Amino acid sequence: MTADAAIADTHCPYCALQCAMRLTPQRDGARVDAREFPTNRGGLCKKGWTAAELLTRGDRLTAPLRRNGDRFEEVGWDEALDEVAGTLRALRRTHGADAVGVFGGGGLTNEKAYQLGKFARVALGTSRIDYNGRFCMSSAAAAGNRAFGIDRGLPFPVADLDEAHTVLLLGSNVAATMPPFIRHLSRARERGGLIVVDPRRSETARLTDEGGGIHLQPAPGTDLVLILGLIHIVIAEGLADEGYIAQRTVGFDALRVSANAWWPERVQQVTGVPVPLLRSVARRLAETGGTYILTGRGVEQHVDGTDTATAAINLALLLGLPGTPGNGYGTLTGQGNGQGGREHGQKCDQLPGYRKITDPAARAHVARVWGVPADSLPGPGVPALELLDLLGDEVHALLVHGSNVVVSAPDADSVTQRLGRLQLLVVCDFFLSETAQLADVVLPVTQWAEEEGTMTSLEGRVLRRRRALAAPAGARSELWIMSELARRLDAPGTWSTDSAEVFDELALASEGGPADYSGLSHELLDTGLTAHWPFPRGSRGTPRLFEERFAHDDGRARLVVVHPRRERSEPSGAADLTLITGRLLEHYQSGAQTRRVPELLAARPELTAQLHPATAVRLGVSDGDPIELRNTRGAVRARAEVTAGIRHDTVFLPFHYPGDARANLLTEAVTDPISAMPEFKRTRVSVHAASDTPVVETAVSR
């Protein structure tokens, strides 16, 4: 233990549940202990318990790297930053400010996400900024803004679920993605009220066994039709809360007419879910005693994801759930700062405080805080997938912060090729991720336990991240990197490297916006204050939204009519299946971190593809056999995992693995027209036995 080390009460670096933990520095790193907290109740998952192992790994980046042919060479910080700044200057002179792109991440602290948006628009002058939250939360955000006028994942504290009578989980496998969360479902399970919608019999779906609830297993991509069917039943059987609808919503008449098209027998034909189950679920949701509807990526990562989330909100509004005591609707944010990361300027169309970049008043307010003319700020940029598609053509340099697009982006091989066409790729990371391996310059940054800052959890609660350990001598905070580059680029304004000062500026910039943090500071958060935004200056915060009104000018929520989109015509054959992708308990996102933890990798060392036993027999595949999944975009090698817990027409791949095991080699670069969310959950593939196919494993070294 060094003089720079201190015991710190902080939060897990992984998912948006932000489980509370205590880090105790030790001679060889740090010890993790769980802390009692409303979200995790003293629990951690495998990832949380092993999080400190990443702090002392031997392959940690500790010096800037510059590409020299096929290899990297270590260089000093001044040399690296001078080279980056010089190239950025030259590209901007030749091609204009939008020749430089910035790709952020939902794991960055609020301070870094805020400063990154400011850096892009002030120091670089570019509109070309977006982030990997576009791949996970954009459809839910678009639906929430459309219906409620504001986007906060859970507009109520997680602990409110503890007394629920019924919880409908649409497309979320929380037992694997955020295991401590399932403690909040215990009462609903005891009452037989956990309803899980998932094509797989996932870990969460199995919680409905032994009287715990109901598992609905619709065909992939039919979630919208399923919800429309529930809406039809609620209206037709007189289960809707007519008083709530009249007092708190607009648009019911049009919704009622549109729902006529989705009678239960038709819904059964499309989804495969039996009519008696549909009726049972609708009636259960309408019972009094505490009902919550929660959505996840399984129903949102589609070309109609915004409309599917909107349909779920419509169902909740018909039942009178949002804003009423003991009931609610919400969406389960995935990444650690997926909520805060989308509020303060990483998105291509937003300014801090969830302000619209096209709003003149918003531009004027933020420009005053930044000390620049409002007309100097660029306009809206393009969303993540479109930004990646411009690489090498309109965008000639890309700065990547907290993202690993080579593994996480759809049509990953095409993205990899476009990265190779850049004149400059700069990646900030603490390990040599798959994306960093392609970079021209890699800048080593501090990890979660080595920095101060804040995160915003899935319930809109602003939390303190505290420093426990000194960073390696060669690593730097991204706040410092942005400050140094801004100085070299002669950027106007101030560029603090102190996270508390940056937060104070963020609070000013957000003041008056939908996500108002103006009443908060590091000092105030350090008192242990419970801080749910909006938290305007002088307030006590807002743990529960919508109790009196929604965020539209008239105070009413919008019931928005949505329709299923006509499915694209695709070839079919005996070996064709629908691929869905998702996460495993042991791994996280692209796996760049968790694949480096020996215990986690040993539990899931290689890519496996879940197949139904009948499908496996038809394909001549046995459990454990190597197989290959193919389509026009690529081929993926995996090992068969034969299980009755998946539909016979479906194959499941986790998306955590590199190389030829990248699930996103197969997914298509098509997006939701409203949110620009890519389609990750419905990809046509053919599956073949491949007895001579090697299955890629990821070695662990120290």
Side-chain angles (χ1 to χ4, degrees):
M1 187 184 303
T2 69
D4 294 322
I7 295 174
D9 286 346
T10 188
H11 294 266
C12 180
Y14 291 114
C15 81
L17 195 59
Q18 285 294 284
C19 295
M21 58 171 56
R22 174 167 293 161
L23 277 181
T24 302
Q26 297 181 323
R27 183 168 300 178
D28 57 348
R31 187 184 77 241
V32 169
D33 293 296
R35 284 194 296 129
E36 187 67 27
F37 198 70
T39 54
N40 62 305
R41 299 279 166 76
L44 296 173
C45 74
K46 292 180 180 180
K47 295 184 290 292
W49 284 117
T50 58
E53 293 193 28
L54 293 169
L55 301 170
T56 54
R57 276 195 52 84
D59 59 348
R60 175 76 182 272
L61 298 177
T62 58
L65 303 177
R66 180 175 59 193
R67 180 168 297 283
N68 183 358
D70 294 332
R71 304 178 62 185
F72 286 112
E73 59 183 11
E74 292 190 359
V75 296
W77 272 102
D78 283 339
E79 186 176 353
L81 294 176
D82 286 347
E83 180 173 325
V84 169
T87 304
L88 293 177
R89 281 182 179 276
L91 288 172
R92 291 167 64 201
R93 281 196 303 268
T94 304
H95 302 286
D98 277 355
V100 179
V102 178
F103 201 98
L108 301 178
T109 62
N110 287 316
E111 293 81 359
K112 290 192 289 188
Y114 165 81
Q115 194 91 309
L116 189 62
K118 176 184 175 182
F119 178 79
R121 296 178 174 106
V122 175
L124 297 174
T126 183
S127 70
R128 304 302 203 213
I129 177 173
D130 212 60
Y131 79 129
N132 63 13
R134 185 71 63 177
F135 297 161
C136 28
M137 288 306 301
S138 55
S139 288
N145 281 320
R146 183 162 67 173
F148 303 133
I150 196 169
D151 157 42
R152 196 178 91 186
L154 293 186
F156 53 83
V158 171
D160 283 6
L161 295 167
D162 292 347
E163 299 303 319
H165 172 269
T166 302
V167 176
L168 172 60
L169 272 173
L170 291 156
S172 181
N173 185 15
V174 288
T177 59
M178 49 181 71
F181 182 91
I182 64 175
R183 300 182 182 205
H184 300 286
L185 305 176
S186 297
R187 187 63 61 88
R189 291 176 64 202
E190 291 171 3
R191 297 170 174 178
L194 179 61
I195 304 167
V196 178
V197 176
D198 197 317
R200 294 195 302 141
R201 192 153 186 77
S202 65
E203 294 89 337
T204 306
R206 291 198 292 271
L207 297 176
T208 64
D209 291 349
E210 300 177 356
I214 300 170
H215 175 208
L216 304 183
Q217 209 166 355
T222 64
D223 307 290
L224 176 53
V225 171
L226 174 72
I227 301 169
L228 293 175
L230 294 174
I231 288 172
H232 176 101
I233 295 168
V234 165
I235 295 174
E237 296 192 5
L239 303 175
D241 187 333
E242 295 181 359
Y244 179 100
I245 293 168
Q247 295 170 18
R248 304 208 59 189
T249 73
V250 295
F252 175 67
D253 289 341
L255 182 68
R256 178 176 54 194
V257 171
S258 70
N260 289 334
W262 294 103
W263 60 93
E265 290 76 13
R266 184 185 183 194
V267 172
Q268 174 180 297
Q269 185 178 27
V270 174
T271 66
V273 177
V275 169
L277 274 182
L278 293 170
R279 294 193 184 279
S280 177
V281 167
R283 293 165 185 169
R284 175 77 192 208
L285 291 171
E287 292 179 11
T288 58
T291 298
Y292 291 84
I293 295 176
L294 306 176
T295 66
R297 305 304 79 74
V299 299
E300 297 161 6
Q301 288 179 323
H302 292 280
V303 293
D304 57 5
T306 301
D307 286 349
T308 303
T310 297
I313 293 173
N314 288 343
L315 177 61
L317 290 169
L318 290 177
L319 296 167
L321 307 182
T324 58
N327 302 287
Y329 164 85
T331 183
L332 298 173
T333 304
Q335 293 190 79
N337 201 30
Q339 181 69 62
R342 67 182 185 268
E343 295 167 2
H344 298 301
Q346 286 191 96
K347 290 180 76 174
C348 66
D349 56 352
Q350 286 180 195
L351 290 170
Y354 228 135
R355 286 183 161 92
K356 294 181 179 179
I357 200 168
T358 53
D359 179 359
R363 293 170 63 86
H365 173 86
V366 173
R368 281 195 298 272
V369 174
W370 288 350
V372 299
D375 59 7
S376 71
L377 299 179
V382 296
L385 210 58
E386 189 174 344
L387 173 59
L388 294 175
D389 197 46
L390 294 175
L391 301 184
D393 295 325
E394 296 180 24
V395 174
H396 300 281
L398 185 69
L399 312 182
V400 179
H401 297 256
S403 191
N404 189 13
V405 293
V406 166
V407 177
S408 63
D411 196 4
D413 186 57
S414 178
V415 170
T416 302
Q417 292 179 34
R418 288 196 293 274
L419 288 171
R421 298 205 299 263
L422 289 168
Q423 294 184 46
L424 177 67
L425 174 60
V426 181
V427 176
C428 289
D429 213 326
F430 26 83
F431 297 115
L432 200 63
S433 69
E434 286 72 27
T435 303
Q437 290 171 28
L438 303 179
D440 298 292
V441 177
V442 183
L443 302 177
V445 296
T446 52
Q447 287 198 61
W448 59 287
E450 302 158 354
E451 62 184 11
E452 296 284 334
T454 61
M455 307 284 278
T456 304
S457 72
L458 79 173
E459 59 179 7
R461 180 167 175 163
V462 186
L463 304 166
R464 277 284 277 120
R465 171 174 281 185
R466 295 183 176 88
R467 182 173 178 263
L469 302 172
R476 297 286 188 273
S477 164
E478 278 155 300
L479 296 180
W480 181 87
I481 293 171
M482 285 183 270
S483 175
E484 288 294 308
L485 285 174
R487 179 174 61 82
R488 286 168 168 81
L489 295 169
D490 298 321
T494 59
W495 300 90
S496 177
T497 62
D498 180 272
S499 61
E501 292 179 0
V502 174
F503 187 91
D504 289 344
E505 185 179 300
L506 177 161
L508 286 174
S510 73
E511 188 165 18
D516 189 334
Y517 283 35
S518 61
L520 294 172
S521 65
H522 280 204
E523 183 180 8
L524 191 59
L525 290 168
D526 282 339
T527 67
L529 174 80
T530 299
H532 295 86
W533 70 262
F535 205 111
R537 192 187 308 273
S539 79
R540 295 187 177 182
T542 317
R544 294 172 185 85
L545 292 170
F546 315 141
E547 290 181 320
E548 298 180 0
R549 67 190 313 276
F550 294 98
H552 291 296
D553 289 342
D554 60 5
R556 291 172 175 255
R558 274 41 178 170
L559 290 160
V560 180
V561 173
V562 292
H563 302 283
R565 302 182 193 280
R566 183 175 296 176
E567 292 193 19
R568 290 171 286 118
S569 176
E570 296 192 54
S572 61
D576 279 5
L577 298 171
T578 298
L579 167 67
I580 56 177
T581 66
R583 282 173 49 186
L584 301 172
L585 168 62
E586 293 82 5
H587 290 302
Y588 181 73
Q589 302 300 82
S590 72
Q593 297 175 75
T594 51
R595 284 186 276 109
R596 287 177 160 83
V597 177
E599 179 182 337
L600 300 179
L601 186 64
R604 291 284 190 168
E606 61 185 6
L607 180 68
T608 57
Q610 289 187 347
L611 296 168
H612 190 275
T615 305
V617 169
R618 177 167 57 83
L619 297 174
V621 170
S622 298
D623 189 65
D625 284 353
I627 60 174
E628 187 173 78
L629 296 82
R630 304 175 196 154
N631 61 20
T632 56
R633 287 172 293 281
V636 167
R637 297 179 176 90
R639 198 172 297 281
E641 179 184 344
V642 179
T643 172
I646 193 167
R647 290 175 55 99
H648 66 88
D649 55 0
T650 305
V651 57
F652 170 80
L653 285 178
F655 51 67
H656 311 294
Y657 296 89
D660 290 340
R662 285 177 289 169
N664 283 315
L665 289 171
L666 302 168
T667 53
E668 188 175 0
V670 293
T671 59
D672 180 301
I674 301 170
S675 67
M677 165 80 82
E679 170 75 81
F680 287 112
K681 304 298 187 188
R682 184 174 50 176
T683 302
R684 206 68 181 168
V685 297
S686 62
V687 180
H688 308 270
S691 58
D692 59 344
T693 302
V695 178
V696 175
E697 298 192 17
T698 308
V700 174
S701 61
R702 282 197 177 274

